[in-house]
């Protein structure tokens, strides 16, 4: 029943569990806390928003984020998980999970890059979000620039979900350019990294299999 202490631990530790593919565990922790305690704590609501997004639960993500805004104090921070402020966490969340709205991803990504500078533990997430958005917009050079930044910064901060994803996305870029040998090399690198990080079967990093499949297809290995 030590809910204050439990909440503090969850707010600090959730990202390390998420990066190990254990978002379901984090959601289970939140479910064990009294609902009013989660709904009254912006830090825990942001944890809920993040892990819900990683699990593909858009409605739960939006509801938790809206509750954070309703509580106010968005300039409060820094947060136990390394974000500069509540606003920053929300901004990076909206950049990372734009649910198909590329303009919103790019706008929130630019704002996030201002709030979380190059030394932030969340900078690799920001750079991945911008890289992914530019990739979806077929701006391959800009996408490659941001995704390469992610691959450099992610290991320093243990941001393995985006670190793995960035390698997979760079494989897809190589394939689009017709550099199929590079695409296969990067795809296999992404698979190996995902395996070593325990993320090969994680729902959070599905693009690893997409990149590998695209590279295999280009090599004529359709089965």
């Amino acid at each position: 029943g030590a809910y204050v202490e439990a909440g503090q631990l969850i707010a600090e530790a959730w990202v390390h569990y998420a990066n190990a593919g254990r978002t379901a565990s984090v959601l289970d922790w939140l479910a064990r806390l009294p609902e009013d305690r989660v709904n009254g704590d912006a830090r825990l609501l942001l944890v809920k928003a993040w892990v819900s997004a990683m699990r593909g639960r858009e409605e739960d993500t939006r509801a938790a984020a809206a509750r954070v805004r309703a509580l106010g104090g968005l300039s409060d921070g820094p947060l136990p998980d390394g974000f500069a402020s509540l606003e920053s966490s929300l901004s990076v969340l909206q950049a990372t999970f734009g649910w198909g709205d590329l303009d919103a991803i790019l706008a929130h990504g630019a704002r996030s890059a201002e709030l979380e500078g190059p030394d932030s533990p969340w900078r690799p997430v920001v750079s991945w979000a911008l890289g992914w958005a530019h990739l979806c917009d077929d701006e391959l050079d800009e996408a490659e620039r941001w995704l390469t930044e992610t691959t450099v910064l992610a290991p320093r901060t243990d941001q393995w979900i985006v670190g793995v994803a960035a390698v997979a996305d760079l494989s897809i870029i190589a394939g689009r350019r017709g550099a199929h040998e590079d695409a296969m090399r990067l795809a296999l690198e992404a698979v190996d990294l995902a395996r070593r990080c325990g993320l090969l079967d994680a729902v959070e990093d599905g693009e690893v299999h997409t990149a590998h499949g695209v590279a295999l297809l280009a090599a004529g290995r359709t089965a």
Side-chain angles (χ1 to χ4, degrees):
Y3 297 126
V4 173
E5 293 85 349
Q8 179 68 20
L9 285 170
I10 293 169
E12 291 175 0
W14 75 270
V15 65
H16 304 294
Y17 281 76
N19 273 302
R22 298 181 63 183
T23 47
S25 295
V26 180
L27 286 173
D28 184 57
W29 298 340
L30 292 173
R32 292 168 183 266
L33 291 175
E35 187 176 359
D36 61 344
R37 182 161 295 279
V38 175
N39 287 337
D41 189 329
R43 301 170 309 162
L44 294 178
L45 283 167
L46 280 167
V47 174
K48 184 177 182 179
W50 271 100
V51 292
S52 295
M54 291 177 183
R55 303 295 296 181
R57 300 179 180 179
E58 180 180 356
E59 185 175 337
D60 291 345
T61 301
R62 292 187 182 280
R67 180 64 183 163
V68 172
R69 295 189 191 92
L71 290 175
L74 295 183
S75 62
D76 292 350
L79 305 188
D81 54 15
F83 276 114
S85 65
L86 298 176
E87 179 198 356
S88 180
S89 182
L90 278 173
S91 182
V92 178
L93 175 69
Q94 290 171 295
T96 309
F97 298 95
W99 311 109
D101 187 343
L102 290 182
D103 289 338
I105 293 172
L106 291 169
H108 288 295
R111 176 59 176 156
S112 297
E114 295 175 359
L115 295 170
E116 299 289 342
D119 296 327
S120 166
W122 288 95
R123 179 68 178 208
V125 180
V126 175
S127 59
W128 174 82
L130 285 165
W132 174 251
H134 286 295
L135 173 57
C136 291
D137 217 18
D138 209 30
E139 297 172 342
L140 301 187
D141 290 344
E142 191 69 4
E144 183 178 40
R145 182 175 73 84
W146 284 108
L147 293 168
T148 300
E149 179 180 314
T150 304
T151 64
V152 172
L153 296 180
R156 304 176 190 174
T157 54
D158 290 331
Q159 292 283 8
W160 293 114
I161 290 177
V162 292
V164 169
V167 178
D169 296 335
L170 287 170
S171 169
I172 292 172
I173 290 173
R176 287 196 184 179
R177 288 172 169 162
H180 299 304
E181 289 186 5
D182 287 340
M184 179 64 80
R185 175 181 56 80
L186 288 163
L188 293 175
E189 182 181 330
V191 169
D192 180 62
L193 183 58
R195 182 181 291 111
R196 287 189 281 116
C197 295
L199 293 168
L200 189 59
D201 297 319
V203 66
E204 297 87 357
D205 263 325
E207 64 230 79
V208 171
H209 304 292
T210 301
H212 193 195
V214 169
L216 290 167
L217 183 61
R221 297 164 62 183
T222 56

